[in-house]
Amino acid sequence: MSLEVLLAAGVASGTVLLLAALGEILTERSGILNLGVEGMLFVGALAGFKVGLETGNPWLGLVAAVLAGTALALLHAFVTVRLGADQTVSGLALTLLGTGVAMVLGEGLAGGGTGALLPTLTIPLLSAIPFLGPVLFTDQSIMVYVGLLLVPLCWWWVERTRPGLHLRAVGENPTAADALGVNVIRTRVIYTALGGALVGLAGATITMAISPGWNANQTTSGQGWIAVGLVIFARWSPWRALLGAWLIATIRRLALDLQGPDEILGIPNVFHLYQPATFFLDMLPYLLVILVVVLGSREAIRRRLGAPAALGVPWHRGERGL
Amino acid sequence: MSAPATDRGLLPVTLRVERRLGTPRWLPLAATLAAIGAALVLSGLLLALIGADPFAVFAHILGASFGDLYVLSDTLVKATPLILTGLACSLAFRMRLWNIGAEGQLLMGAWGASAVVLLGIFPAGTPGIILIPAMVVGGMVAGALWGGIAGVLRARLNVNEIITTLMLNYVALSFLRFWVFGPWSEGGFQQTVQFPRDAWLGRLTELSWLIPDVAGMTVHGGFLLALVAAGIVWWVLSRTRTGYEIRLAGDNPQAARYAGIDLKRKIVLVFLASGALAGLAGASEVSGTVHRLQDSLALGYGFTGIVIAYLAKFHPLGVIVAAIGFGALILAGREIQPAGIPAMIQGIVLVCVIVADALTRYTLRVVRR
C-alpha cells in the first residue's frame, strides 16, 4: 500500500463528503439548516442505483438521484420556509423519512451486484504530474472531477456574483435583503432544493462509483452526518470543505486498510495480534469529525467568524426574528 | 405581527394568514391527533404504492401488538426502552438541546450495566437485591458520562451537540463491539455469556404462582422503572426550580441569562440527566430482556425517542402513550416486509407532527378592507 494509492482512494471517497457538504453549504448560506443530509443521501444512493440497474444507464441514475434529493429537500423547504417550522426537527424527520423510504424501496436489492457504473477517466497531461497526477487525475471516477470543478464554481458563485451576494444577504439578514427587493422566500427555497440536488448527486456517487452496489442500511454509514459536521469545520467555505473531505475520507480509508495487511511498514500489524482491537480503528473517522468540529468551533469563536447570522431562524415578512 | 395582504382584488374582504396570539387549549391535542391520522393515510398510500395492502398491514400491526394480553405484554416490553429514550430526548429538547445520541447513550448504559456483572465486581451468588440496583446505577452513570461529553463540549467550546452526539453513537457501537467480540465474547460469538439469574430484572411471569393468568408474560421491572422515571421527569420539569430554569432557558435563553441562570451548568446537567435516562434504557434491556450484552441491542430506539418526544410535546405522560404506540409498531414491524416500513412510518409521523405544529401557530382570517 503506497501513499499515492491511499490518497487516491481518499480523494475518491472524499467526493461523497465533498458533494454533500457543498450542497449543505449552499443551503445554510441562505439561512436554512437542513439536517436531512443523511436521508437525502440515502434516497439519492438508492434512486441512482435502482434506476441505473434497471435501465443500464448510469446517467439516468444520476438524474434520478438528483431528482430524489431535490424532492426531499423541497419537502424541507415547504415545511421550514413556507410554514416556518423548526428546521432542526424537520431535518431530523427528513433523515428518518429518507432512510425509511430508501430501505423500503431498496428491499431485495442488497447483494444484487453492482448495477450501472459511472465511467472513470484519466486526464491526459495532468496525470503525468508527479505525485498529484496519480493521486488526483489517474483513473478516477468522473464524479471526482465534477466535485473538483464544483469547489471553485461554488466559491465564485457565492462570493463573486450578484446572485451569490443576494444569497449571503438572505442568510445574514433576511429583513434587510427583503427591503432591498430580494425575494427571501424564493431564494431560500431555491438553495434548499439545490443543496438537496447536490446531496442526491453525492448519494449516487456512493452506489454508482465509490462503493458500487446497495448495502441496505450500511450504504451511507453516517456520511451524511459527517458532511453536516464538515460544514461547521469548513466554516461555510467550499475550499475548506474540500480539505476536510479529503482528510476525513483518507482517515476512513486508512482505518479500513490497516485492518488488512499482516505487515505495515515492515512491522507486524499490531491489530492482528488481537483482532477485536480493529473496532478502535472503526471509531477513528467519527472521533476525527468531533475533533475537526471542535477545532472549527474554537477558531470560529476566536476569530469571531460564525455561521450565517440568520441560520435556523424562520423568517416572515413583517415579523421579528427570534 | 401579521403578514400584509398582497392580494388587492375587487372583493371588499381578503384572506390573511396571521400568527395566532394565543392558542386554544384543545388545539395542540387536536393537531397531534390530526397529524397521526394524516400520517396513517400517507403511510397507507405509500404502502399501496409499493404494492402492499395497507389495511392488511395496519390490521396486522393492531392484532400483533394489542390482540391479547400476551402480545400486549410484548408491546410493553418494546415500549420500555422507548419511554426512556423518549424521556431522554424530551428533557434535552425542552431546553432546545438536540441530543440525538440517545442511541449511543443506551448502548453505553447497556455496557455499564453489563460491566457490573461481567467485571466480577460482586462475588458470584450476590443476590439480585444488590446486583440489580448496582447494574441500574452502572448503566445510568455510563449513559450520563457519554451524554456529558457532548454537554461539556457544547457548554465550554460551543461545539454543535447534534454532530457530537451523533458521532458518539458510532463510537459507542464500535466500543460495544470490541467488548462483545473480544474480552467478553462467549466462545467467539458476538455476545457475552448469559447473566446469572440474580442479574435478571423480575418478569411478570414469575408472579404466576400468585396469579396463574400471567404465566408467560415477559413484561419486566424495567417498565416500572420507566414509569417512575417519567414521574420524576414530570415532577422536576413542572414542579422544581431547576425544571423552571430549564424550561425558561429553552423558551428564551436571553431572558434566562438576564435572570442570572447559569446556562453552561444547566446544559451539562441536562445532558448528564438525558444520558442517564438513555443509559437506564440500556441497563433495563440487558437486565430485563436479553440477559446478556450483544451488539444488536439498540435497533434505533434512540431515534424513535426523537419522534416520541415530539409527538408527546415533551410531556412525560404523552411520552408513555406515544412509546406504547411505537412499541406496537416496532413489535409488529418485525414480521412486516419490507423491513423499512416502521422507519418510514416514523418519518412520516414526524413530518406530519411538525407540519401540524406549524399550522397551529397560524390562523386564516377574513379581513375587511
Side-chain angles (χ1 to χ4, degrees):
Chain A
M1 179 183 64
S2 74
L3 185 61
E4 284 168 7
V5 173
L6 172 69
L7 290 180
V11 165
S13 68
T15 302
V16 176
L17 296 176
L18 176 64
L19 290 173
L22 287 178
E24 183 66 10
I25 286 174
L26 289 178
T27 302
E28 291 193 12
R29 289 303 289 257
S30 79
I32 297 296
L33 175 69
N34 187 350
L35 293 179
V37 178
E38 181 83 0
M40 299 188 292
L41 199 63
F42 247 122
V43 294
L46 179 83
F49 176 72
K50 198 165 184 174
V51 171
L53 187 70
E54 278 168 14
T55 63
N57 185 337
W59 306 110
L60 284 180
L62 219 51
V63 172
V66 168
L67 291 179
T70 310
L72 264 195
L74 280 175
L75 177 64
H76 183 68
F78 171 71
V79 173
T80 60
V81 183
R82 283 280 169 199
L83 300 180
D86 188 293
Q87 297 174 13
T88 305
V89 198
S90 172
L92 292 175
L94 215 58
T95 289
L96 284 173
L97 185 65
T99 311
V101 167
M103 287 302 112
V104 170
L105 297 179
E107 179 78 7
L109 291 179
T114 52
L117 285 180
L118 290 162
T120 57
L121 279 180
T122 297
I123 309 277
L125 292 177
L126 288 177
S127 59
I129 306 172
F131 192 71
L132 282 185
V135 170
L136 287 175
F137 303 114
T138 305
D139 212 21
Q140 290 282 25
S141 167
I142 189 145
M143 297 310 291
V144 171
Y145 305 112
V146 170
L148 279 176
L149 289 176
L150 277 176
V151 172
L153 188 65
C154 275
W155 172 82
W156 172 77
W157 182 261
V158 173
E159 305 289 343
R160 289 288 181 273
T161 69
R162 180 157 288 270
L165 180 68
H166 291 167
L167 166 67
R168 283 182 285 140
V170 166
E172 298 291 344
N173 192 338
T175 306
D178 182 59
L180 289 174
V182 179
N183 189 328
V184 174
I185 300 289
R186 193 201 289 156
T187 306
R188 289 187 160 182
V189 171
I190 286 175
Y191 283 97
T192 306
L194 196 60
L198 280 176
V199 176
L201 208 60
T205 307
I206 301 178
T207 47
M208 295 201 297
I210 306 303
S211 41
W214 178 248
N215 291 313
N217 57 353
Q218 306 290 310
T219 305
T220 64
S221 52
Q223 289 185 83
W225 289 110
I226 293 180
V228 175
L230 192 55
V231 172
I232 297 172
F233 166 75
R235 291 203 319 262
W236 296 267
S237 142
W239 293 105
R240 284 179 56 109
L242 177 71
L243 187 76
W246 282 352
L247 176 70
I248 294 170
T250 305
I251 296 292
R252 280 184 53 150
R253 185 72 213 181
L254 188 67
L256 281 180
D257 284 349
L258 284 181
Q259 300 178 12
D262 291 330
E263 281 193 354
I264 298 164
L265 309 169
I267 307 162
N269 190 339
V270 284
F271 291 102
H272 281 213
L273 297 178
Y274 191 58
Q275 197 63 38
T278 53
F279 288 114
F280 286 98
L281 279 177
D282 291 341
M283 297 177 190
L284 274 184
Y286 303 110
L287 290 173
L288 181 72
V289 172
I290 295 178
L291 183 72
V292 298
V293 172
V294 169
L295 292 177
S297 308
R298 281 195 60 153
E299 202 174 333
I301 293 174
R302 191 168 55 78
R303 294 175 52 178
R304 293 176 182 279
L305 284 166
L311 183 61
V313 184
W315 181 85
H316 290 280
R317 178 181 285 162
E319 276 180 17
R320 285 183 59 189
L322 289 173
Chain B
M1 285 302 286
S2 65
T6 46
D7 180 17
R8 300 237 172 254
L10 294 168
L11 291 169
V13 293
T14 180
L15 272 181
R16 286 212 302 205
V17 181
E18 280 188 359
R19 189 151 209 162
R20 277 181 193 275
L21 293 179
T23 322
R25 283 183 81 84
W26 53 269
L27 191 63
L29 184 63
T32 303
L33 292 178
I36 295 172
L40 286 179
V41 171
L42 279 176
S43 306
L45 285 177
L46 267 176
L47 286 174
L49 209 66
I50 60 169
D53 176 359
F55 296 104
V57 170
F58 290 139
H60 173 83
I61 291 178
L62 274 181
S65 48
F66 297 113
D68 59 50
L69 283 176
Y70 291 95
V71 290
L72 179 64
S73 153
D74 289 345
T75 300
L76 295 185
V77 170
K78 282 284 169 204
T80 300
L82 295 176
I83 294 174
L84 290 165
T85 53
L87 289 173
C89 294
S90 296
L91 183 61
F93 291 1
R94 192 62 194 81
M95 200 178 150
R96 295 185 66 77
L97 293 172
W98 307 109
N99 178 13
I100 327 203
E103 188 93 353
Q105 291 143 21
L106 182 149
L107 290 175
M108 292 310 284
W111 178 85
S114 306
V116 168
V117 179
L118 298 170
L119 288 182
I121 299 170
F122 293 96
T126 305
I129 198 148
I130 298 173
L131 199 55
I132 287 174
M135 289 172 76
V136 165
V137 171
M140 290 180 77
V141 168
L145 291 178
W146 206 244
I149 298 173
V152 170
L153 285 175
R154 166 69 202 268
R156 296 270 152 219
L157 299 168
N158 202 24
V159 177
N160 185 313
E161 73 276 15
I162 297 173
I163 305 299
T164 45
T165 50
L166 253 160
M167 293 299 132
L168 287 173
N169 283 344
Y170 294 99
V171 178
L173 185 61
S174 290
F175 180 76
L176 198 79
R177 285 196 169 140
F178 166 73
W179 288 91
V180 296
F181 280 87
W184 292 348
S185 167
E186 184 192 32
F189 290 101
Q190 56 210 64
Q191 58 185 27
T192 66
V193 295
Q194 199 173 50
F195 296 163
R197 276 270 175 177
D198 289 320
W200 294 19
L201 270 166
R203 291 182 296 186
L204 196 56
T205 180
E206 287 156 28
L207 292 179
S208 58
W209 57 271
L210 195 64
I211 319 162
D213 282 349
V214 300
M217 291 193 181
T218 51
V219 62
H220 54 81
F223 185 65
L224 291 181
L225 287 178
L227 294 185
V228 171
I232 294 174
V233 171
W234 173 82
W235 180 75
V236 168
L237 272 182
S238 59
R239 289 289 181 273
T240 67
R241 187 197 164 112
T242 308
Y244 170 74
E245 291 179 348
I246 288 171
R247 286 184 287 132
L248 178 61
D251 291 338
N252 193 339
Q254 220 156 24
R257 220 182 349 262
Y258 292 146
I261 296 171
D262 187 345
L263 285 181
K264 292 186 174 186
R265 280 185 63 153
K266 282 284 166 313
I267 290 173
V268 177
L269 181 76
V270 164
F271 263 103
L272 286 174
S274 181
L277 285 165
L280 178 58
S284 143
E285 280 300 279
V286 291
S287 176
T289 311
V290 286
H291 303 135
R292 52 159 51 107
L293 187 63
Q294 56 194 29
D295 67 341
S296 58
L297 207 63
L299 303 168
Y301 293 150
F303 296 102
T304 308
I306 298 170
V307 187
I308 289 172
Y310 258 88
L311 206 51
K313 303 260 186 305
F314 314 147
H315 193 288
L317 189 67
V319 165
I320 297 173
V321 176
I324 292 174
F326 278 101
L329 180 64
I330 290 175
L331 179 74
R334 286 180 311 185
E335 298 129 35
I336 299 176
Q337 293 298 326
I341 284 180
M344 188 183 79
I345 294 182
Q346 287 178 32
I348 293 173
V349 169
L350 189 51
V351 172
C352 290
V353 168
I354 52 181
V355 168
D357 207 38
L359 287 178
T360 57
R361 283 186 283 122
Y362 295 91
T363 176
L364 282 178
R365 241 174 73 175
V366 182
V367 185
R368 226 178 268 279
R369 278 192 285 140

